Amino acid sequence: MSELRDRGGAASVAPPPAGNGSSMASRTRLRAALDREVEAIGQAWAQAKMEALRNEGRPIAGGWPGTMSEARARVSVCARSASRSAEADLETLARRAYVVAKATWLSRTAPDADE
């Protein structure tokens, strides 16, 4: 609540600006939804790479084959809408999708013969 003064100097208490708390909550919900979407993008990306290798009869082994350029392309689709663009830093989202995809990949790769 904030204090307002009338022309005579008398103080009165005014309610907080309408929508301030709800817009903050809305941004928080939007960011959480975007984070979940980016995580799902990373997981789906890794799954697609693994499926492609399986279809070729190749083992899922070695380091993560994805690139940051691919990550940017994948997350730009979910961050493109006007309501999300102010909340989304494409590079941060791309890095997050890349990290999730790499972790998913590495958790399912066959160990190298050298190990």
Side-chain angles (χ1 to χ4, degrees):
M1 299 259 209
S2 62
E3 184 178 282
L4 299 177
R5 298 204 175 263
D6 65 15
R7 290 180 190 228
S12 66
V13 177
N20 204 14
S22 66
S23 66
M24 177 72 108
S26 178
R27 283 193 302 271
T28 300
R29 283 191 304 275
L30 178 62
R31 184 60 194 207
L34 186 58
D35 288 344
R36 285 189 304 274
E37 192 170 346
V38 167
E39 188 151 326
I41 287 168
Q43 290 171 349
W45 181 21
Q47 292 293 338
K49 290 276 191 183
M50 288 184 273
E51 187 64 27
L53 287 175
R54 280 189 204 103
N55 289 339
E56 294 173 7
R58 296 171 53 196
I60 299 165
W64 167 237
T67 66
M68 279 301 295
S69 293
E70 290 174 297
R72 285 183 203 97
R74 288 174 178 274
V75 299
S76 69
V77 173
C78 78
R80 197 174 289 159
S81 72
S83 64
R84 292 183 175 176
S85 62
E87 297 292 321
D89 171 13
L90 182 60
E91 195 63 23
T92 300
L93 297 175
R95 268 189 245 117
R96 177 70 183 138
Y98 183 90
V99 165
V100 168
K102 182 177 179 179
T104 301
W105 171 270
L106 292 175
S107 73
R108 294 186 175 105
T109 57
D112 288 339
D114 296 341
E115 293 178 12

